[in-house]
Amino acid sequence: MTVSATATAEVFSLEETAPEHARAIRDSRPLRLITCGSVDDGKSTLIGRLLWDTKAVKEDQAATLHRDSGKQNDLGLPDFALLLDGLQAEREQGITIDVAYRYFSTDRRSFIVADTPGHEQYTRNMATGASTADLAVLLVDARAGILEQTRRHATIASLMGIRQFVLAVNKIDLTNYDRAGFEQITHDFKEFALTLGVKQIVAIPMSALKGENVVYDGRAAMPWYDGPTLVETLEKATTRSNQTVGFRLPVQRVSRPGESFRGYQGTVAGGSVKPGDSVVILPSGMVANVSKIVTFDLVRNAAVAGDAITLVLDRQVDVARGDMIVAIDSQPMTGRGFDAQLVALQPDGIEPGKRYWLKSGSRRQRVSVEPVSQLDLKSSKWSATDKLGMNAIGKVHLTFDEQAIFDSYEQNRTTGAFILIDPDTNNTVAGGMITGRRSEIGGIHKDDQRVLLSLPADLAEKIMATELFANRRQDVDVRHTSAGRAAEILADLDE
Amino acid sequence: MSDIRPEAEAKHSATQKPPLDPHLKALENEAIHIFREVAAEFERPVMLYSIGKDSSVLLHLARKAFYPGRVPFPLLHVNTGWKFAEMIAFRDKVVKDYDLDLIEHINPRGAAENVTPFTHGSALYTDIMKTEALRQALDAGKFDAAFGGARRDEEASRAKERIYSFRTPDHRWDPRNQRPELWNIYNGMIRNGESVRAFPLSNWTEVDIWRYIQAEDIPIVPLYFAEKRPYVERDGMMILAEDPRLELLPGEVKQEGVIRFRTLGCFPLTGAIRSNATTLDDIIAELETATVSERQGRAIDRDQSGSMEKKKREGYF
Ligand SMILES: Nc1nc2c(ncn2[C@@H]2O[C@H](COP(=O)(O)OP(=O)(O)OP(=O)(O)O)[C@@H](O)[C@H]2O)c(=O)[nH]1
Ligand SMILES: [Mg+2]
């Protein structure tokens, strides 16, 4: 799609979509993306414009939009954000409160987009959208640049495993299409993104309102930009799956319709399985072989991550909801102490030592949560804390009464994720990502093996920018010093 | 006491359908996951069954989710007495064919006071015969979870709704304070009297529904297919003129035309469209070039922007 957005009248006409591409878009599962960024940066307007220009808005909906828009801008354009901000309170206040999910497609693929709120107060709803996304479109107002809230959203998105970012430098029309301003913001963001370990960034100067570089290019107004439009970028983005890791089946329910049948129902959360495979049931540790994979359509000879299946084993074993059936040769971590990162989502934050319910997959168990450190969004540094307030991003220790079963979130976005539920209110108070198992409850084991390295500063920086490093940052001590002093310290050690 | 149905197993392994494309497969997997999670976590789930295309897909997914077992909860049909006759016939056949438990509820107050769409207006009628009736039925059954076939692409306030949508004891939805819902980890913890509406089709679009009906060969009410039918024009809608209770107003004439329905509800409030789509292929092709949304044919949604949200806050599905 590389037509120019010229006269507004043309952008308005609702031509019929050609149906010939209808088959092509279903070759893959839809790309899930979010829009995020600070208040009023134009997230909802952007998605509204995207729906409009991909012809996802029908005539009756367009008529409603025109009627509801009133006079909101001097350009005579409708208020595209109203296509997203569907709640009465949102329309009254002109802001987004909760995440809206919308669906659209181009000739190449289909998309599920979550439009998230910019207000800090509603960070929980942004996290809701981010948790399942493959890609984040981070909006920045070209006049304001990167704000604390921009950093918060980028950080949450990256913690939740999003590795592909589009930096949409929006409202570029209000800066007279200033190229230097765009380049400065891009530079600032790339520098910040390094601390998150995020490297896949496409920066696009954009006017969501006027539809420049969204679906149609903005060459007329910005001849200096020859990069892709938003839609071109989205069409090329990749979806992620858990198919390459070990087999995991969190058991949702045991199906016993009659004496002769016992099957374990759940959604494959990692890897693949076929009849004959040896599996272990956790936490009990019992071993069995897969005898059948049953689905409504036919008995299948394999299932992969994402498939909702019923598994039949070759022997009588005790399996209950909340157990996990896993590959014998690639097992998750089990134990009573884990380390995690989390985002606190409710006004009471996370209270030290309080016992919460933790739900991961189909397993719900009691946990006590001990906050360790909190990320300071201004300096990008972690500082020690024992309490996490609302919207804080923190590192915590989890201590369970009974065995818990996890992969690290980095390895498996399903079996490494959890929510915390406050037993007093039943509300969801945090979303968390497992970073590792604690070898001993109460702290890193003193006898664990460590390695001291002394590296040139530029090499250290490159290593620290890697994803692997970023994910295990909490396990590492880093000090800057001179080459001479480093040599002294290492010499001391050798003595 | 075995309820495994071997004949079903035989039938399915015999007729090998081509596998679903990855897009529909992903939607199906998600829906089955939700069905199983709700069935496992709640004590008394129920499935709202409105006999339309979305309900037909919902039911099909429920059967798949629990196979080879029976669907482990009843279906609830909130009847108004004004449904299309073909819908009721279809419902009764489905319940029999698939060995389902059906609860039918009609608001006794509305029936006693003879509340009709003609005498009370569509807004009040919907309020009493649908919203109030639903609350009555859910209370009577002490249901703590109710599956519905709503999709986020239907309407702007639906687009905001969680997959587990929390309701207070008086069935209210508070759209400003929804629980965060991260990944596919659903929080099913509620207190006595509170409940959850669960929406397995949240991420489906209208086209997805039709393509799935086609791929899975799911039976639907014939009113969805074009045929020559009698109708009258009223308030800019084509109303099916088959039911003897429909009285012609001055100036109205009964006409005939090839029409079909894009959504099904109460016949006096549901407008037909002119269409020659007699097959699923036709319907899908028609949809992909459609210039108006499916809600357009429904009188109850047209009152004002935000009317759906208002109804939902009061307990409408
Ligand atoms: N001139 C100009 N105005 C824009 C552009 N994009 C958005 N706006 C305006 O900015 C205002 C805020 O837009 P929204 O889309 O509601 O912003 P948002 O980021 O969704 O806001 P929240 O969701 O509340 O955080 C509206 O008045 C838009 O019309 C743009 O590219 N150019
Ligand atoms: Mg918004």
Side-chain angles (χ1 to χ4, degrees), chain A residues 44 85 96 115:
Chain A
S44 304
D85 293 337
T96 303
D115 175 43

Side-chain angles (χ1 to χ4, degrees), chain A residues 58-60 68 88 90 98 101 103 122 125 131 252 267 306 308-309 321 359 409 424 426 428, chain B residues 12 17 29 33 36-37 64 159-160 162 176 178 181 183 186-187 191 203 288 290-291 293 305 309:
Chain A
K58 303 291 181 187
E59 272 170 15
D60 51 319
D68 293 350
Q88 267 161 15
E90 293 178 323
D98 211 335
Y101 295 90
Y103 311 84
Y122 304 118
N125 299 331
S131 64
Q252 288 184 284
T267 305
I309 60 167
R321 171 174 166 82
K359 192 175 178 198
Y409 188 72
D424 302 329
N426 284 339
T428 305
Chain B
H12 286 287
K17 286 176 295 189
N29 282 328
H33 183 86
R36 289 171 171 174
E37 199 61 13
K64 281 192 144 184
K160 298 269 162 181
R162 300 283 189 258
R176 298 201 54 163
Q178 299 194 82
E181 190 169 80
W183 299 286
Y186 303 107
N187 176 356
R191 294 201 181 88
N203 288 321
E288 279 170 347
T291 56
S293 78
S305 293
E309 177 186 345

Side-chain angles (χ1 to χ4, degrees), chain B residues 118 232-235 246-253:
Chain B
F118 306 120
V232 296
E233 261 180 63
R234 180 175 295 179
D235 301 331
L246 179 74
E247 286 171 24
L248 294 193
L249 302 175
E252 284 181 349
V253 278

Side-chain angles (χ1 to χ4, degrees), chain A residues 37-46 72-73 75 79 81 85 94-96 115-119 170-174 206-210:
Chain A
S38 192
V39 185
D40 270 356
D41 284 354
K43 299 175 289 296
S44 304
T45 305
L46 175 61
Q72 67 96 45
N73 54 50
L75 299 165
D79 184 356
D85 293 337
I95 60 164
T96 303
D115 175 43
T116 74
H119 275 260
N170 191 36
K171 306 197 187 184
I172 195 87
D173 54 306
L174 299 179
M206 206 177 283
S207 171
L209 186 61
K210 297 174 79 174

